[in-house]
Each structure stands twice: as C-alpha cells, then as structure tokens.
Amino acid sequence: MSNLIERLSAGARNTAESGIVEVFNAGWHHEALIPLWAGEGDLPTPDFINRAVKASLDRGETFYTYQRGIPQLREALAAYHQDLYSRVFSAERFFVTGSGMQAIQLAVQAVVDPGREVIVPSPSWPNISAAVEIHGARPVPVPLREANGGWSLHMEEIEAAITPHTAALFLNSPSNPTGWTASEDLLRAFLEIARKNGLWIIADEIYAQYFYGEQPRSPSFYDIADEDDQIIFVNSFSKNWAMTGWRVGWISAPPMIGQVVENLIQYSTSGVPAFMQWGAVAALTEGEDFLASQIERARLGRNAVFEGLQETGRIGAKPPDGAFYLFFSIDGVTDTRRFALDLVRETGVGLAPGSAFGPGGENFVRLCYARGQDQLAEAVRRINAWLPEI
C-alpha cells in the first residue's frame, strides 16, 4: 500500500499542491474571513443569466448536446468577438469547454506531444505549468523582469529559450498575477518568433477588458494575426460575468483544426450541459452593462488598495496595467508562503503567496481587488495594522 503513489503516472505523481489552495484550506473557516486569494469577485451570478438557465431546464434541455457547443452560443461568441475586436469572426472558430482551465488543457493536448516543451513567462498562474506537466511535457519559464514594481518581458529571452524540443509559446496578457500587459509591438514580435520557428501560441486573454490604459481593452493577437496563424485562444466566462463556479469557457482556433478540438472535447467531458450554455448566451447578449460595472468596480478597487497599502511605506508595487490583482513585495518579508499562512490565520485576510506562481514570484504576494470597497478597505486596515508586528 505504501507504494501506491509510486505506481501512479509521473505527471500525476509529481503535480505540486497549489500554494493558493494551501492558504485557502488554512483560512477557510476563519470567522472574519476576507478571501482575496482567488481570482474572483464577491458578486453572485446576475439574475438575467440564472433566468436563462432556468428557462432551459424548464424546456427539459438536460440531454447530450453538441460537442462543440450549441449553435446559439457559438454564434453569440462570434458576435461578441466582432464587437470587441472590430473584425468578422466565424462561429466555426469557437468551441465551448468545461471552464477556461479545460480550454488550457485541451489546447496543450492539441499542440504539445509528451516530452516536448512549452515556454511560459513567469511568474504565471500555476495551473498553466501544471497542465503542461500533467500532459507529460515540460514548462520552460522565461522571466517577466521586475523593476521598481513594474514588469517587462524581453523577446531575446524568449528566443534564447527555444530549443528543438519547443512545441508552443504560452502568453497570458493581461497577466495573472502581475497585471503586466503586452503592447501591440511586443505581440507582433512574439508572433513573428512563433512564425519563424513554426511554433504554436496558446493565448490567454481572459482579462482583455480589465485594462486600465486609454483603450477600452488590451492589445490582442486578434489585432495582428492572420486567420490561419498557429494560435489557440483560451478563455472563460468566469471573470467577466461572475460565473467562476459555473466552469464554462471556450477555445477560439482556426476552423481547420475543428474536428480535432471536437474529438478532444468528446473524449474528456462529452460537452458542456446545454442549460449552462444558455446562461452563457445570456451573459454575452445581455451582460454588457453588468460587465462594464465589473470593470469599473475593479478600477476603483485597484486604486483603493494600492493607495491604502502605500501608507505602510513597506510595499513595492505599481498600479497594474490590467487584470484585477495587485502583486506586491513587502519590505522585510522573504518567505511569502509563511507570510500568507500567518496573515490569514491571525487576521482573516486571505492573500495568495507569490511562491505559488513560479520563478520570479517568490518575494511577492497577490491580492485580488475585484471586490466591494468596504471589504477592500477593511482588508487594507487589517494588513496595515498587522505588518508592524512582523
């Protein structure tokens, strides 16, 4: 019995415990918990989405459905992208998945053979590298360079990391956890490297509309790519429409590989329940005002948290360009795992340790500010009061 773990696959056996979940488990039962460790807000899914699901259930839509997604949702995704990126999209590009996480897993399965490598700028959401490792491939971290609280990615370091084993480049912009956002010029250089080396790009642009620059969204590969470029986009309904618990996402990919994507969906989940997909249709077609309010809420949260934590004189960070996280260092704190565990146990404020986000994140902690002002103000008050004690 003691050898059972050794008899598991190497990908499963070597998967590390999530450092975010470790803090979650340590603080979940704190009576005054303010959970800022995960990438979600505090609002429940809005009623207009719930009503669409109830209507589908009332119609008895509880049977197997289209593996690629119901036609109405794929058409809605095409229209949503057309409005956002000002170009025509075919519904044939879109495939509904059981969460953004599954979209990442399927993208890795589609373009990366076991034993190959995927280049991942780091710090990064830990699930990205885990998806690569579980598949039997190897994530290769390339550093996002930090200076004075800001972050940058250097293309010469991406090129230097490419080997004959490289199969794909992963890019998350705006970034979780740093908030770093790629410029259009950087995306062009990134795409040119992929084209030159015959590599796939897995593009995670889930936070595209959580962007605090002059434009209403972040720069995108959609702005510069050709229809048949080797890019698979992964995305989710979780962040924009308060649907984290629903586990519904999508892939956007060249229609030529559509049958492959459909096969992967078939042999993993056999599709997303139709009634949940109708909720996703409502999100896309009726959710513009709700999404705008979400983005404004995050903008206010970003400013309040940054300004509040600056009062300690110990915080190293700049207001992020995108996403809804403040990724900051604390003068005098080097063990961020221990810091996050102690903080949640003693104050009830749950933050994610930067050590969970791979190389380059060790000296930072992540705070999700996509929440109400009262909660954020109280969290800042507790942190500021507790810091002098450590």
Side-chain angles (χ1 to χ4, degrees), residues 75-330:
E75 290 288 351
L77 282 165
Y80 167 78
H81 283 74
Q82 183 166 325
D83 289 343
L84 190 57
Y85 298 105
S86 301
R87 54 180 285 189
V88 175
F89 286 85
S90 166
E92 295 304 306
R93 281 195 63 91
F94 299 100
F95 308 84
V96 183
T97 62
S99 74
M101 184 64 233
Q102 193 200 21
I104 292 171
Q105 291 173 322
L106 297 182
V108 170
Q109 291 175 32
V111 303
V112 182
D113 286 319
R116 300 293 297 277
E117 297 174 348
V118 179
I119 293 174
V120 182
S122 182
S124 64
W125 186 43
N127 294 35
I128 296 167
S129 291
V132 174
E133 291 171 332
I134 289 171
H135 186 56
R138 187 171 79 91
V140 176
V142 169
L144 282 165
R145 298 292 183 183
E146 188 271 338
N148 300 317
W151 298 84
S152 60
L153 181 65
H154 299 279
M155 288 298 98
E156 63 270 21
E157 294 189 278
I158 294 289
E159 286 200 273
I162 296 172
T163 75
H165 300 291
T166 306
L169 312 174
F170 194 104
L171 192 67
N172 170 216
S173 173
S175 164
N176 172 10
T178 64
W180 168 81
T181 303
S183 67
E184 184 172 309
D185 285 344
L186 187 141
L187 293 178
R188 288 185 185 279
F190 201 91
L191 178 57
E192 187 56 37
I193 289 171
R195 287 170 172 168
K196 182 174 67 176
N197 292 278
L199 302 175
W200 282 88
I201 293 173
I202 301 174
D204 179 348
E205 299 183 356
I206 188 172
Y207 299 101
Q209 297 201 67
Y210 288 92
F211 180 61
Y212 310 108
E214 296 180 358
Q215 303 301 318
R217 60 162 176 83
S218 64
S220 168
F221 283 114
Y222 284 125
D223 297 323
I224 59 174
D226 296 331
E227 182 69 16
D228 59 351
D229 267 317
Q230 292 182 191
I231 304 176
I232 296 180
F233 296 83
V234 294
N235 216 312
S236 171
F237 288 87
S238 292
K239 316 298 183 180
N240 288 356
W241 298 283
M243 297 173 69
T244 52
W246 290 62
R247 319 313 302 136
V248 183
W250 73 87
I251 282 173
S252 170
M256 185 178 297
I257 69 168
Q259 190 58 56
V260 172
V261 178
E262 180 176 1
N263 293 346
L264 292 174
I265 293 171
Q266 163 64 25
Y267 299 131
S268 57
T269 59
S270 296
V272 174
F275 53 87
M276 293 171 64
Q277 294 191 56
W278 279 108
V281 171
L284 293 170
T285 59
E286 303 176 42
E288 184 175 351
D289 290 344
F290 179 80
L291 175 54
S293 69
Q294 289 271 82
I295 296 167
E296 181 59 22
R297 205 165 185 253
R299 184 188 301 275
L300 294 172
R302 165 183 176 263
N303 297 340
V305 165
F306 178 76
E307 293 168 6
L309 290 176
Q310 286 295 307
E311 295 176 7
T312 67
R314 296 177 60 182
I315 302 302
K318 286 184 177 179
D321 294 328
F324 46 53
Y325 308 103
L326 187 67
F327 199 58
F328 60 96
S329 61
I330 305 165

